[in-house]
Amino acid sequence: MNTLSHKNGKIALSILGKQWVFLFLILEALYFILRATGFFSIETLQMIFFYGTEVFLLATAELLVIITGGIDLSVGYVMGFATVVSSKLMVLFGQLGLSPLVCILVAIALTLLVGIIPGWVNGCLVARLHVPPFIATFSMLGVTHGISELLLQGIPAKNLPQLAGDIGNGYFLYYIPEGRVLSFFVRPLVRRGQHVVALIPNIVVLSFIFVGIIAFILKRTKFGQHVYAMGGNIDAAIRAGINVKKDIIRVYILSSFFASLAGISYVLKYITGKADAGATLLLDAIAAVVIGGASMFGGSGTVWRTILGCILIATLETGLRMMGTPTFDKYILVGVILIFAVIIERFFPGRNP
Amino acid sequence: MPNVQSVGRRNIFSTVVGQIVAHNWAFFFLILMVGIFSIVGSGFLSITNFQNILHLATGPLLLAAAETFVVITGGIDLSIGFIMGMSSVLCGKLIQLLTSSGASISTSILVGCMAGLLISLIPGMINGLLISRFNVPPFIATLGMLGICNGITLKICKGFSISNLPDSLTSIGNSYVLYVHPEKGVTFFHKPDYLADTQIRELIRLIPVSIIFSIGVLLFLWYVLKYRKFGRHTYAIGGSMDASIRAGINVKRHLVLVYTLSSFLAGLAGVFNVFQTGIGNYSTFSAMYELFAVAAVVIGGASLSGGKGRIIGTAIGVLVLKVLENGLAISGVLPFYRYIAVGVLLIIAVIIDQLFPDLF
């Protein structure tokens, strides 16, 4: 009897250790529901996801690199680089007289092409020249920062096509309860006093498509298995015949591709390009990955847990903002949770999948 | 046979020279850079400018020295930049509060400095305890501490620099040891009295106090790292953790001490920053003090995997970065090229380090 309860306790502890993020998220949401007026609403939920998009994408980028046992410090400034390149291109094409939609699409495509260059350089430095990831990506941080400042010449990009903002701040679905009008993508004309419910921001849908693709790649494809294998034991991966160099270069390319996606999402949302758009997000991205249970030594971590980590941070930020406290508290709490996450990993057995 | 021998000898010779150049490439690069900027930038080659470079390098020198100890143990401390901001803001805030409540300027400065230095011990101690007792990876522990310190700093200063501090702060931090005036003669530590505005321009200022301060701290750290048991243990832990545990080093205590020293030095840099600028500055994310400190340490020849690194190398690394910044600005190059240049330099540093494995 005694051993049984002991065993149950152990199981309960291990479940707690595995699912603490979830539990913490629920407690956090409850706290904010009680303390912040208007927190418990569909708008707030959407806002959490809407403002968290960049962190979702950056954390996914960071996760890939962390699984291989590396670190990518450049994601924040690669994101800034992408915002600058895409906004500059949009303005340029607009001046050439292309239609706004073509402008935006071509600019995004070109930005994604340019955006993988930093990742390729990072990957080559890490895999072929054996530069430590910390150093290689820090230099790439400096280089992308410098180039984007040079492109901007000190002035944030402006005069972007209005359509960009409409896409970025638009919703998938609009619904007017009184008139029972349903409309996709286009905001319906509203008479005075009518209330429109906007559901599912476009940008969230787009980012989750990409995040889902990465989740699929990591879980189901050979490349994904190689990524975990390299992080677990690089020597064993080499002996197992994995082309480690090629795969590491691919991982860093994917990482900077996702950072560029985050940059594009920033441009579509805020209709501007800034070199330091992602400077503060690096901490959040790494914190989300670690809170999601990935080990800094590599070999573990999943996309969905990382997203859970992101949601934890985004909820914290939104809730604190709604309570009216300055976001200074957020930095402290993210730091505490980050350290707490690692300690929990050490103390609760059966944490790693 | 003689042919082979001579080839062998030449190889050794060339490798030895190559090793010396490679081992001290940062130093040679520094000299090269000074030479180039002296030709390109007018006004670069002057005592005033060199004093300015060293004066502005005080904070980075202390931070990089702090990072050197941590990197030698094989860890990394990402929190130092924000610890610097925290102690700077706390020091400024206390001085502001005390002077406005009527305390004398000297006591309020003293209390502010003590508080700034004491508060900087805490984050480092927590870092060290987390890393040594709870086996938290240094990257995570110090990254978390970065966030915590940043939050606390912003809570103290509410997002603005602490201003309205007594003027005597800057007159201490920006003073020079020697003031030479062609007519009025030489004075120590304070400007000669009764100078007209035109005469002040002729005044030659020599040896800023900040240089003496930073050189003093660096000399002490160099001595500790090279000749004391503390330094030897630091190298031993970085070389092999297991071996140093077996050799009887109290590794856990030592790591706590190293991280505390690191954050104390960051606090020192923060407090001195108040004296230099006359305001309590908080650190912004885009300043990246800690990353530039790591860059300086790596350019100075340390390895991020631990066991290697010198204070002199680090100082040269900081000077390389600072001379680059100053020289580019004086030559009229856009400041943004600096970021690119630092990135390229770092990569060169690591690749040179790998091409020439240790001889000494």
Side-chain angles (χ1 to χ4, degrees):
Chain A
M1 199 63 190
N2 197 12
T3 52
L4 194 66
S5 70
H6 183 66
K7 205 177 169 189
N8 281 344
K10 230 179 182 177
I11 290 170
L13 267 184
S14 102
I15 288 173
L16 191 69
K18 255 183 195 152
Q19 305 299 342
W20 72 271
V21 182
F22 212 67
L23 198 75
F24 192 91
L25 188 61
I26 292 170
L27 288 177
E28 192 188 345
L30 275 177
Y31 176 77
F32 284 130
I33 287 168
L34 291 176
R35 295 296 300 276
T37 45
F39 186 83
F40 189 63
S41 68
I42 200 91
E43 280 86 7
T44 311
L45 187 67
Q46 294 191 58
M47 205 159 77
I48 290 171
F49 281 88
F50 182 73
Y51 288 112
T53 358
E54 283 92 29
V55 181
F56 291 147
L57 292 166
L58 287 187
T60 313
E62 197 68 63
L63 172 74
L64 284 167
V65 179
I66 284 179
I67 290 176
T68 66
I71 184 89
D72 193 344
L73 299 177
S74 67
V75 283
Y77 279 95
V78 170
M79 172 184 155
F81 177 62
T83 66
V84 172
V85 171
S86 60
S87 54
K88 280 277 165 190
L89 283 176
M90 280 179 204
V91 173
L92 184 72
F93 291 138
Q95 283 165 350
L96 290 178
L98 295 174
S99 79
L101 187 67
V102 178
C103 268
I104 291 168
L105 288 180
V106 175
I108 287 176
L110 284 177
T111 308
L112 291 179
L113 273 181
V114 176
I116 61 175
I117 295 173
W120 180 74
V121 177
N122 276 339
C124 286
L125 287 172
V126 171
R128 296 198 189 279
L129 296 172
H130 304 286
V131 178
F134 189 92
I135 300 291
T137 56
F138 174 53
S139 353
M140 196 42 69
L141 179 161
V143 172
T144 46
H145 186 191
I147 293 176
S148 34
E149 290 281 14
L150 280 175
L151 287 172
L152 284 178
Q153 301 285 351
I155 314 154
K158 53 189 176 191
N159 296 331
L160 271 76
Q162 188 59 43
L163 183 65
D166 292 344
I167 295 175
N169 296 305
Y171 288 81
F172 196 66
L173 202 81
Y174 292 97
Y175 178 60
I176 304 179
E178 290 170 25
R180 297 189 183 278
V181 183
L182 200 69
S183 128
F184 291 97
F185 293 115
V186 186
R187 182 177 274 273
L189 288 170
V190 188
R191 268 179 287 135
R192 184 189 294 235
Q194 264 186 339
H195 178 62
V196 188
V197 181
L199 288 175
I200 319 173
N202 293 334
I203 218 84
V204 174
V205 178
L206 289 176
S207 66
F208 268 85
I209 289 173
F210 283 102
V211 171
I213 290 172
I214 284 296
F216 176 79
I217 286 177
L218 274 182
K219 194 141 197 176
R220 299 260 175 251
T221 63
K222 208 166 76 181
F223 171 68
Q225 298 302 314
H226 288 179
V227 172
Y228 282 107
M230 286 187 300
N233 186 340
I234 192 118
D235 294 331
I238 293 170
R239 268 190 227 110
I242 298 174
N243 190 342
V244 172
K245 289 185 180 173
K246 209 171 97 190
D247 280 348
I248 282 190
I249 293 176
R250 275 189 194 162
V251 162
Y252 280 91
I253 286 180
L254 269 178
S255 159
S256 94
F257 178 79
F258 268 74
S260 311
L261 279 178
I264 288 165
S265 124
Y266 183 92
V267 170
L268 292 180
K269 269 155 68 173
Y270 304 112
I271 340 178
T272 183
K274 265 166 58 185
D276 57 352
T280 55
L281 298 181
L282 177 68
L283 172 66
D284 288 355
I286 295 175
V289 173
V290 173
I291 291 169
S295 156
M296 289 302 285
F297 301 110
S300 68
T302 61
V303 172
W304 296 118
R305 283 185 173 279
T306 302
I307 294 296
L308 206 61
C310 291
I311 295 174
L312 188 88
I313 294 174
T315 311
L316 195 68
E317 189 167 8
T318 315
L320 286 175
R321 212 177 263 152
M322 291 184 76
M323 273 170 66
T325 46
T327 40
F328 308 152
D329 290 329
K330 183 207 133 195
Y331 294 119
I332 302 180
L333 287 170
V334 169
V336 172
I337 296 170
L338 181 65
I339 293 169
F340 185 64
V342 181
I343 293 178
I344 281 192
E345 192 185 339
R346 299 266 176 252
F347 279 85
F348 287 101
R351 173 91 180 94
N352 288 338
Chain B
M1 281 310 270
N3 200 8
V4 172
Q5 222 168 20
S6 74
V7 166
R9 200 177 292 152
R10 201 169 65 218
N11 271 348
I12 288 170
F13 179 69
S14 65
T15 50
V16 166
V17 170
Q19 286 274 342
I20 290 171
V21 173
H23 207 68
N24 300 300
W25 72 273
F27 181 65
F28 290 104
F29 186 77
L30 184 65
I31 292 172
L32 183 75
M33 221 161 39
V34 169
I36 291 173
F37 284 133
S38 307
I39 298 165
V40 176
S42 63
F44 178 83
L45 190 68
S46 71
I47 289 180
T48 322
N49 189 40
F50 287 149
Q51 285 183 356
N52 277 345
I53 294 175
L54 287 172
H55 178 70
L56 293 175
T58 317
L61 274 174
L62 292 181
L63 289 184
E67 195 73 62
T68 311
F69 276 84
V70 177
V71 166
I72 289 174
T73 65
I76 193 145
D77 194 341
L78 298 177
S79 60
I80 47 174
F82 290 89
I83 293 173
M84 173 179 157
M86 184 170 74
S87 62
S88 171
V89 162
L90 185 82
C91 173
K93 187 81 187 172
L94 272 181
I95 293 175
Q96 192 191 40
L97 283 178
L98 285 172
T99 44
S100 64
S101 68
S104 78
I105 287 174
S106 54
T107 40
S108 54
I109 288 177
L110 208 63
V111 171
C113 291
M114 291 308 291
L117 292 179
L118 283 178
I119 193 93
S120 71
L121 293 171
I122 299 169
M125 214 177 323
I126 298 173
N127 277 339
L129 287 174
L130 285 171
I131 289 159
S132 60
R133 310 263 163 194
F134 293 93
N135 290 326
V136 178
F139 189 92
I140 298 293
T142 55
L143 188 71
M145 195 48 73
L146 178 161
I148 296 170
C149 289
N150 186 28
I152 292 173
T153 311
L154 289 173
K155 271 180 101 75
I156 297 173
C157 71
K158 304 202 167 51
F160 296 100
S161 299
I162 310 280
S163 49
N164 286 333
L165 301 182
D167 292 335
S168 49
L169 278 173
T170 44
S171 59
I172 296 172
N174 295 326
S175 66
Y176 292 77
V177 173
L178 267 176
Y179 291 90
V180 182
H181 192 271
E183 290 157 24
K184 299 261 177 181
V186 181
T187 52
F188 292 98
F189 292 110
H190 63 90
K191 287 176 196 155
D193 300 329
Y194 309 118
L195 276 180
D197 287 353
T198 46
Q199 285 175 314
I200 281 187
R201 236 178 254 166
E202 294 161 12
L203 197 66
I204 302 164
R205 301 168 169 85
L206 285 176
I207 318 173
V209 170
S210 57
I211 292 182
I212 294 183
F213 173 72
S214 53
I215 286 179
V217 174
L218 286 184
L219 271 180
F220 174 71
L221 292 175
W222 170 79
Y223 172 72
V224 166
L225 195 56
K226 189 146 192 180
Y227 294 109
R228 302 299 298 184
K229 208 167 72 182
F230 186 83
R232 300 253 169 92
H233 286 183
T234 310
Y235 281 109
I237 289 172
S240 168
M241 185 81 89
D242 295 334
S244 33
I245 292 171
R246 274 194 218 106
I249 299 174
N250 191 342
V251 172
K252 289 185 176 175
R253 210 194 81 196
H254 193 85
L255 279 179
V256 174
L257 284 177
V258 164
Y259 281 91
T260 312
L261 174 71
S262 154
S263 87
F264 176 74
L265 285 172
L268 201 61
V271 169
F272 199 77
N273 189 31
V274 177
F275 281 93
Q276 275 186 324
T277 59
I279 50 175
N281 288 302
Y282 64 96
S283 303
T284 55
F285 274 103
S286 51
M288 294 187 290
Y289 294 116
E290 59 286 338
L291 291 179
F292 280 107
V294 176
V297 171
V298 170
I299 290 174
S303 152
L304 281 187
S305 43
K308 233 176 102 188
R310 294 175 301 169
I311 289 287
I312 300 171
T314 300
I316 290 173
V318 173
L319 287 183
V320 165
L321 295 179
K322 282 287 148 188
V323 167
L324 188 73
E325 184 182 341
N326 179 283
L328 286 180
I330 280 189
S331 321
V333 181
L334 279 176
F336 312 128
Y337 283 105
R338 175 169 73 95
Y339 303 118
I340 303 175
V342 171
V344 174
L345 258 183
L346 255 182
I347 297 290
I348 294 173
V350 176
I351 290 174
I352 285 181
D353 191 47
Q354 278 162 2
L355 287 179
F356 299 89
D358 268 358
L359 186 79
F360 305 106

